[in-house]
Amino acid sequence: MSNHVEQFVESVRLRNANEPEFIQAVHEVVESVMPVLEKNPRLRHAKILDRIVEPERVIMFRVPWMDDDGEIHVNRGYRVEFNSAIGPYKGGLRFHPSVNLSILKFLGFEQIFKNALTTLPMGGGKGGSDFDAKGRSDNEIMRFCQSYMSELFRHIGPDTDVPAGDIGVGGREIGFLFGQYKRLRNEFTGVFTGKGIGWGGSLMRPEATGFGVVYFANEILKTKGMSLAGKRVSISGFGNVAWGATTKATELGAKVVTLSGPDGYIYDPDGIRGEKIDYMLELRLSNQDIVKPYADKYGVEFFAGKRPWEVPVDVALPCATQNELNGEDAKHLVNNKVIAVVEGANMPSTPEAIEHFKSNRILFSPGKASNAGGVAVSGLEMTQNSMRLGWTAEEVDQKLHMIMTNIHETCVTYGKASDGYVDYVKGANIGGFLKVANAMMAQGLV
Ligand code: NDP
Ligand code: 2IT
């Protein structure tokens, strides 16, 4: 690591104490873009890097709500409006007990570059709450969403900040949030993406992230003259992204053999297909936070407290959460001859894992490139809302496919090494950074 990288990251660490996930995300980007800055005095003098690591605005608020027994709870709500150089702030909301400022800043920071890579006009943001939906009734979830929106509504808008889903926020929660926004503003606008199909949503948004991950994985494999057909695939998580990835990978002839939850992982050697994929949706809506019922229902093995990376596969798609694949896990995958690791979640691989993949010349794609399909279709939902017209599923899917192929090309353009190996981390970081940095340069010191 160059001295400049070290010094810069240290200065960010000092200003942002106790924010390890944010520092991890900053470190990765700074390592990729420092050589670009070293060759570009204009960007350096404009202090683009210092400005880009500082959110434009952070909103933090109290979210009081009452449970079904009349007991009062207080959660913390956030929205990090990170960067609006290329469009309105755009990014999901995460409801999970682990949520804190560090996690939302890392997610908002990643979102800036991811959104730039999609080529659509979207800035970067992220929000959420430490709300725990586990065991909660739908009414409790609704009351929480209404309370959260009773503060957030004054900070967002279709041309200002457009939230969407993330962990713990799916179609149900977006419905409750959107309903409360509409009630408070007396406006029906495209302020949210991931809306229901009958009320302004885009076809294919639920599938988009997972489908995009699989399209990207196929592009990566294509560089080696391969495809997903006939490949064994391990997937972690069992939520929205894992579901979309399992659906599309299976459709393309791959065999998905694992899913995981915070309780452990299931191994299904016959492949997760047909009604088993539909069952994933039931699991996600049960508010129980466990994947074990899959093993009980389909009579397959369940490995309590373990992660799926010990299973020999050709392609691994981590689709659960940050730092869920560490250096040891990476060694298992490499020893078992994995060909490609394509991130569906945001920052699921630790820096040690990424280093191990890269030094073994494993094809590795960071989430900000390979999971950008979700926010890309969110951008397409915004376009449809502005036009007050809807596209067919085929039209959206075709655009999604094209966007993922473009992102792959951008990564190759900026990430190809002299030996032909593509460093997708470097390619994605430089490609995304340059677009945002150029816009910031054009807009003066704001
Ligand atoms: P969901 O809430 O639908 O699912 C998240 C999944 O991860 C659930 O199965 C969840 O279980 C599981 N999970 C949570 N913590 C752990 C853990 N410690 N170990 C194993 N599994 C865990 O969220 P999404 O599918 O939407 O999000 C998954 C990832 O993809 C996140 O990193 C998110 O930021 C990212 N992402 C999402 C996009 C989207 O459009 N939704 C777009 C791009 C990225 P449980 O809910 O029971 O805790
Ligand atoms: O991490 C992500 O890109 C998302 N959760 C989707 C964001 C969005 O605005 O669709």
Side-chain angles (χ1 to χ4, degrees), residues 336-356:
N336 285 327
K337 307 230 170 336
V338 74
I339 301 165
V341 179
V342 183
E343 293 188 338
N346 286 308
M347 210 169 76
S349 310
T350 63
E352 295 72 31
I354 297 176
E355 194 42 52
H356 193 68

Side-chain angles (χ1 to χ4, degrees), residues 67-264:
D67 70 19
D68 288 344
D69 300 325
E71 192 183 330
I72 288 172
H73 300 263
V74 180
N75 284 97
R76 192 170 279 179
Y78 306 83
R79 185 73 182 164
V80 179
E81 297 184 332
F82 223 117
N83 193 297
S84 62
I86 63 169
Y89 308 108
K90 181 80 195 87
L93 297 177
R94 177 177 290 191
F95 292 169
H96 196 269
S98 62
V99 161
N100 57 36
L101 191 57
S102 172
I103 287 178
L104 294 179
K105 280 176 67 181
F106 117 64
L107 289 164
F109 184 69
E110 293 271 293
Q111 200 83 43
I112 304 171
F113 309 102
K114 181 196 309 193
N115 293 3
L117 286 168
T118 67
T119 69
L120 301 173
M122 299 181 290
K126 201 84 186 191
S129 173
D130 56 0
F131 174 67
D132 188 356
K134 190 175 174 192
R136 291 293 171 198
S137 69
D138 282 5
N139 275 328
E140 289 174 321
I141 289 173
M142 179 178 75
R143 284 197 295 277
F144 173 79
C145 288
Q146 291 178 339
S147 180
Y148 177 84
M149 187 49 75
S150 298
E151 173 57 35
L152 190 70
F153 85 100
R154 59 186 107 247
H155 307 287
I156 61 175
D159 296 317
T160 308
D161 184 352
V162 184
D166 193 79
I167 291 181
V169 179
R172 172 182 54 191
E173 292 76 16
I174 288 173
F176 296 147
L177 291 160
F178 180 78
Q180 183 73 350
Y181 178 88
K182 184 165 62 68
R183 182 187 198 190
L184 292 167
R185 287 266 185 178
N186 194 26
E187 276 176 6
F188 193 113
T189 66
V191 68
F192 252 90
T193 60
K195 300 187 290 303
I197 299 308
W199 41 280
S202 173
L203 288 165
M204 300 296 296
R205 177 62 188 87
E207 292 85 353
T209 310
F211 279 27
V213 171
V214 170
Y215 294 152
F216 201 89
N218 244 347
E219 287 300 316
I220 291 185
L221 290 171
K222 223 200 268 177
T223 65
K224 298 281 172 209
M226 293 187 268
S227 81
L228 267 172
K231 298 282 183 299
R232 266 168 69 92
V233 177
S234 57
I235 289 185
S236 61
F238 64 98
N240 172 263
V241 180
W243 166 77
T246 304
T247 306
K248 185 50 87 177
T250 305
E251 194 186 306
L252 295 182
K255 190 187 267 189
V256 177
V257 294
T258 69
L259 295 176
S260 74
D263 54 332

